[in-house]
Amino acid sequence: MKRSKGIVLLAVPLLALFLFTGGTPKVKKQKTLVKVDSLLSIMTLDEKIGQMTQVDMDALDDLEDIKTLALGSMLSGGNSEPKDISPEGWANVYDKYQSYALQSRLKIPMIYGIDGVHGHNNVKGAVIFPHNVGLGATNNPGLVEKANHVIAEEIAGTGIDWTFAPCVAVPRNEKWGRTYEGFGETPEITKTMSRASVLGLQGKKLSDGSSILACAKHFAGDGGTTNGKDQGNTVCDEKTFRKLFLPGYAEAIKAGVATIMVSYSSWNGVKMHQHKYLLTDVLKKELGFKGFLVSDWAAIDQISPDFKKDVELSINAGLDMIMIPNGSQKKNNYKEFIKDLKELVQEGKVPVARIDDAVRRILKVKFDMDLFNHPYTDKALTAKIGSKEHREVARECVRQSLVLLKNSNNTLPISKNLKRIHVSGRGAGDIGMQCGGWTISWQGQLGDVTTGGTTVLQAIKNTVPSTNVTFSKDGSGAEGADLGVVVVGENPYAEMLGDTSDLSLNPEDIKAIEQVKKAGIPVVVVLFSGRPLIIDPVLKYTDAFVAAWLPGTEGQGIADVLFGDYNFTGKLTHSWPKTMSQVPINIGDKNYDPLFKYGFGLHYDKKVTKK
């Protein structure tokens, strides 16, 4: 009997190794949960903890660590990227890292995460879509789903299988630098668009080659922090918290979202990354979330000065995977995390059952994606990145995101028969301002940051090739023109650095508007911004005013609407303040009196048809 039992015990890991080393028909025949439990049963504690570890590209000490530590995931966050940021460059890096994961004892493929928040925005030549503040203004969930499917195809085309999107925040204070990552100030628009985003990214099933993992973020309340401070404290009772900040996540879970990222923020002084009630009792049990939870960038480090204690609190609270980036407390913090978590299990401070639950969730996602059979980049998808077909979807998103705030004397649409149009402003020929933050670099930047896009200046020239289109950045030289178009807006920014106490227009932008107005011609202003700005002081100088948000690379969509080939359909998903003293301002407030109300948006009186 003893000998027979030994043979059986030996056969179990051999069978599991055969089933999980990829490509056999038996992998597909088994039920997913059976496959997960079979693999889990032969994993060592070290291998389980490895699956719970996500390491940033720049923090990886040695490629061999992917194999020897059985790392479950890697990411490129912020400015972490390969030297070659072309689609082919990213695909080659992904495949290289994946090859090391497949050399581990159990050959468990890794998943790779990236902040593809408005397209595959770290890839040169990829299509950059409007940020979510613009997509919210479309009020068209079908279009948002279609856009996210294109985004998924472009991300999958570099092998990467996970984007940290959509942002399910409900921005309640425009001082917050991440306002543009949310769809709007109400839980209703957030629910609708979050669902559409998840469905677009994950497709009908995760095993489809063009589907990727969505990640609803940042759970929860990050849009409601005091004074709009990033990584701040949301102060409210539970009834208010549930009413404002939970509906978007509940809807994303119904849509099948596979991962959720936890917020840096706190609720009534308690850090989300240690909040067991919200992460386990509410999110996993009450709302029925079956995927896995990932931490934000070095976020557990903020719980306390004691990193090992941070690990204990966050894992016991319900975190399943910990993001260990460069810039945390120590260069090789992922090794310390692995060591500390193993000791915590051995000391009985983190139950083995909690480890198994986390790993089971992670493995299920990997099996659902069919990564064991298809771990590498599909190069057929690589060829589609930046395609004309994809750009046309983004262009339609731009058209529908535009909100017309003012149109005196039917200044718009612009006639295509004008002799001369004078274009001005810092944003007219600047693709970097047009795209905003999270574009090639973390904070974004002015200038020619990427390729393949169209600025507003070029779009106007494309639309009216027989018209004399002149340009000056400062608004000078507009005299004698039939009409002036001034493109102004915010410089690019992202989290932390985007927080502000002053939403006034840039003085240079104001001067450009005033300069064109002095020429005695009709003035059309196009505003690039990630949130409503204080525009009341300059409205008197304008005949038409368009909120274009951060439209991305396809500026031709703006010209399509300015010249009347399409009508304005966009509606505000943020209440527009008159002055900074009104901020924060949200629909439903007592004494609600914004410059433009939530849902406002003009359109052309005449019927416009596609030309």
Side-chain angles (χ1 to χ4, degrees), residues 62 102 110 134 151 156 217 348 370 452-453 464 466 483 488 508 520 596:
D62 190 329
L102 296 176
M110 67 167 189
I151 292 169
K217 68 180 186 184
D370 201 23
V464 286
S466 299
L483 179 135
V488 300
E508 190 177 339
F596 299 106

Side-chain angles (χ1 to χ4, degrees), residues 41-120:
S41 70
I42 60 167
M43 293 176 71
T44 66
L45 178 59
D46 287 332
E47 288 168 333
K48 292 176 182 178
I49 293 173
Q51 287 299 300
M52 298 171 68
T53 309
Q54 183 185 54
V55 183
D56 182 71
M57 173 193 286
D58 285 347
L60 188 67
D61 188 46
D62 190 329
L63 279 169
E64 289 289 325
D65 286 346
I66 300 173
K67 175 177 66 176
T68 58
L69 300 177
L71 297 181
S73 178
M74 287 189 63
L75 81 149
S76 286
N79 291 322
S80 173
E81 57 191 26
K83 291 181 180 179
D84 180 1
I85 61 171
S86 69
E88 294 76 16
W90 276 100
N92 290 338
V93 166
Y94 173 88
D95 286 348
K96 178 178 71 173
Y97 288 148
Q98 188 67 279
S99 71
Y100 278 85
L102 296 176
Q103 293 173 43
S104 61
R105 182 179 77 95
L106 296 177
K107 298 178 171 52
I108 301 173
M110 67 167 189
I111 48 177
Y112 202 105
I114 197 164
D115 287 287
V117 297
H118 64 142
H120 202 0

Side-chain angles (χ1 to χ4, degrees), residues 418-425 428 457 460 467-487 512 515-516 519 521-524:
L418 298 181
K419 291 182 179 180
R420 179 181 163 219
I421 297 173
H422 189 70
V423 182
S424 303
L457 177 59
I460 291 174
T467 298
N468 181 20
V469 178
T470 56
F471 172 75
S472 68
K473 191 174 182 180
D474 62 1
S476 62
E479 293 79 10
D482 297 298
L483 179 135
V485 177
V486 190
V487 186
Q515 187 75 13
V516 176
I521 59 176
V523 179
V524 177

Side-chain angles (χ1 to χ4, degrees), residues 223-478:
T225 57
T226 302
N227 295 321
K229 182 180 179 183
D230 195 48
Q231 304 183 24
N233 186 27
T234 300
V235 180
C236 64
D237 59 27
E238 184 167 349
K239 181 179 179 181
T240 302
F241 189 89
R242 284 175 172 270
K243 178 182 178 181
L244 290 176
F245 305 115
L246 291 191
Y249 289 96
E251 199 67 23
I253 290 168
K254 289 178 184 177
V257 70
T259 70
I260 292 177
M261 182 182 290
V262 179
S263 177
Y264 282 114
S265 63
S266 304
W267 177 38
N268 295 331
V270 180
K271 283 285 183 184
M272 284 292 161
H273 279 77
Q274 67 179 93
H275 214 303
K276 185 175 182 179
Y277 170 67
L278 286 177
L279 300 186
T280 297
D281 296 340
V282 173
L283 190 55
K284 290 184 174 180
K285 294 180 179 178
E286 180 184 330
L287 296 182
F289 175 57
K290 302 300 182 185
F292 70 84
L293 292 179
V294 63
S295 69
D296 208 335
W297 181 273
I300 69 167
D301 299 29
Q302 296 184 6
I303 296 175
S304 79
D306 183 343
F307 183 71
K308 186 174 181 180
K309 189 67 177 178
D310 298 341
V311 174
E312 177 185 349
L313 290 172
S314 61
I315 299 299
N316 283 335
L319 263 294
D320 302 305
M321 181 180 286
I322 304 298
M323 186 185 294
I324 315 286
N326 197 26
S328 52
Q329 292 178 347
K330 297 178 182 178
K331 181 182 177 184
N332 295 327
N333 207 21
Y334 63 95
K335 294 179 181 177
E336 183 178 358
F337 166 76
I338 291 170
K339 177 182 72 70
D340 285 349
L341 183 52
K342 184 175 182 179
E343 289 178 358
L344 288 165
V345 174
Q346 292 170 337
E347 293 164 4
K349 294 179 179 178
V350 173
V352 173
R354 175 74 273 273
I355 299 295
D356 286 349
D357 173 58
V359 178
R360 185 176 285 110
R361 289 169 177 268
I362 293 166
L363 293 178
K364 182 181 183 302
V365 166
K366 291 184 177 184
F367 277 112
D368 286 344
M369 295 188 77
D370 201 23
L371 276 178
F372 289 84
N373 290 317
H374 302 285
Y376 292 113
T377 305
D378 180 350
K379 297 300 174 64
L381 291 174
T382 311
K384 293 184 178 182
I385 296 174
S387 67
K388 182 179 179 181
E389 177 187 2
H390 287 181
R391 292 189 184 281
E392 188 54 45
V393 177
R395 183 173 171 179
E396 180 61 24
C397 289
V398 174
R399 293 178 192 129
Q400 294 194 30
S401 70
L402 305 176
V403 179
L404 181 59
L405 299 178
K406 179 181 179 180
N407 191 25
S408 300
N409 302 316
N410 293 319
T411 301
L412 296 177
I414 303 170
S415 170
K416 294 182 180 180
N417 298 318
L418 298 181
K419 291 182 179 180
R420 179 181 163 219
I421 297 173
H422 189 70
V423 182
S424 303
R426 297 181 306 124
D430 196 313
I431 201 80
M433 181 186 286
Q434 193 170 298
C435 291
W438 294 108
T439 307
I440 302 302
S441 61
W442 171 38
Q443 293 288 326
Q445 63 188 56
L446 296 173
D448 297 330
V449 296
T450 190
T451 58
T454 306
T455 64
V456 174
L457 177 59
Q458 187 58 55
I460 291 174
K461 290 179 178 180
N462 294 343
T463 304
V464 286
S466 299
T467 298
N468 181 20
V469 178
T470 56
F471 172 75
S472 68
K473 191 174 182 180
D474 62 1
S476 62

Side-chain angles (χ1 to χ4, degrees), residues 518-576:
K518 287 178 182 177
I521 59 176
V523 179
V524 177
V525 171
V526 176
L527 175 66
F528 293 152
S529 70
R531 49 200 165 186
L533 301 184
I534 306 304
I535 61 172
D536 195 38
V538 301
L539 273 181
K540 59 187 175 183
Y541 301 122
T542 71
D543 297 276
F545 201 106
V546 178
W549 313 112
L550 298 170
T553 51
E554 306 315 299
Q556 192 65 50
I558 296 174
D560 291 341
V561 181
L562 291 182
F563 286 90
D565 291 336
Y566 295 81
N567 208 332
F568 282 94
T569 57
K571 304 295 181 183
L572 293 180
T573 58
H574 285 271
S575 304
W576 203 292

